[in-house]
Amino acid sequence: MDHGAENYARFLSGDEDGFVAIVKAYKDGLLLYINSYVHDIYAAEELTEDTFVKLGIKKPKYKGQAAFKTWLYAIARNLAIDYLRKHAKHREQSLEGYREIGDERNEAAGLYLQETRKRLLYQAMDQLKPIYQQVLWLLYFEGFSHKEIAKILKKSVHNVETIAYRARLSLRAVLEKEGFSDEDI
């Protein structure tokens, strides 16, 4: 049993510190993951809170079929998808609006990714298709396996492997376009 599952079991048995430990352990990564879906750091913050509210109030049953972190990210992904469905009409914005969101996103990522090289990589990832961003984020920044990512995204493992391969190729192309050489990549 992983620490998240242990903390959730503690919380379900009445120990509030278990819930606090879950929030501390997963809030930053979950925020940035949700932001890769909604491209709005403020909405991502609300959806991150909603994920923890759902966990704390509705107390969904964790069956242990996947790692706790995988299960938690799947809950957050579903909330993000619901949000996008509800707000699809309001998503039409000018390119300037996207630039502003990108700047805010980079500021949030800058706190989480201290090194300059990682920030440049994150900016390059921002130019990729959303599914490529999500797979690369989960794979490299969150450390999920292809199998775990498949469960989160509700895709086959082979599909995730294919997406990851294509995402890496696209990221390489973006980095080369930005002036990085093979040694830098």
Side-chain angles (χ1 to χ4, degrees):
M1 189 182 277
D2 60 34
H3 292 294
E6 291 173 10
N7 289 328
Y8 191 57
R10 282 181 33 217
F11 168 66
L12 292 177
S13 67
D15 184 1
E16 297 294 324
D17 290 336
F19 185 76
V20 171
I22 291 169
V23 172
K24 284 181 181 178
Y26 299 108
K27 66 180 168 115
D28 292 335
L30 202 56
L31 171 69
L32 292 171
Y33 172 66
I34 292 172
N35 192 41
S36 75
Y37 262 91
V38 298
H39 301 286
D40 179 347
I41 193 68
Y42 302 112
E45 287 173 347
E46 287 183 28
L47 290 167
T48 301
E49 289 175 15
D50 291 348
T51 302
F52 290 122
V53 166
K54 182 173 186 173
L55 203 64
I57 294 176
K58 291 189 178 181
K59 299 177 184 171
K61 185 173 180 172
Y62 171 63
K63 297 177 185 173
Q65 295 174 337
F68 179 81
K69 185 176 180 180
T70 304
W71 177 73
L72 181 64
Y73 274 59
I75 291 172
R77 176 186 177 269
N78 291 336
L79 288 173
I81 288 170
D82 289 345
Y83 170 85
L84 289 174
R85 283 185 191 134
K86 290 177 187 173
H87 294 88
K89 297 173 190 170
H90 305 292
R91 291 192 48 96
E92 294 180 18
Q93 298 177 349
S94 69
L95 288 177
E96 279 303 312
Y98 281 115
R99 295 274 184 236
E100 291 172 18
I101 290 170
D103 291 343
E104 293 169 359
R105 184 175 183 188
N106 289 338
E107 288 176 27
L111 296 174
Y112 189 71
L113 306 170
Q114 299 279 322
E115 300 169 27
T116 304
R117 189 173 178 94
K118 287 183 180 178
R119 271 189 263 131
L120 293 172
L121 178 63
Y122 187 73
Q123 291 171 347
M125 283 180 56
D126 199 34
Q127 298 177 40
L128 302 177
K129 291 180 182 180
I131 189 68
Y132 290 177
Q133 291 177 22
Q134 294 157 22
V135 168
L136 290 176
W137 183 267
L138 292 172
L139 190 61
Y140 294 112
F141 293 99
E142 294 298 330
F144 283 112
S145 68
H146 288 122
K147 185 177 179 181
E148 292 170 322
I149 295 169
K151 286 184 181 185
I152 292 170
L153 298 178
K154 296 181 182 173
K155 296 187 180 296
S156 70
V157 174
H158 177 71
N159 195 343
V160 168
E161 289 170 347
T162 302
I163 292 169
Y165 174 76
R166 291 177 181 164
R168 284 190 291 270
L169 289 178
S170 293
L171 182 60
R172 176 177 287 276
V174 168
L175 290 172
E176 286 174 354
K177 187 175 85 177
E178 296 292 326
F180 286 87
S181 65
D182 281 342
E183 295 84 36
D184 295 330
I185 299 172

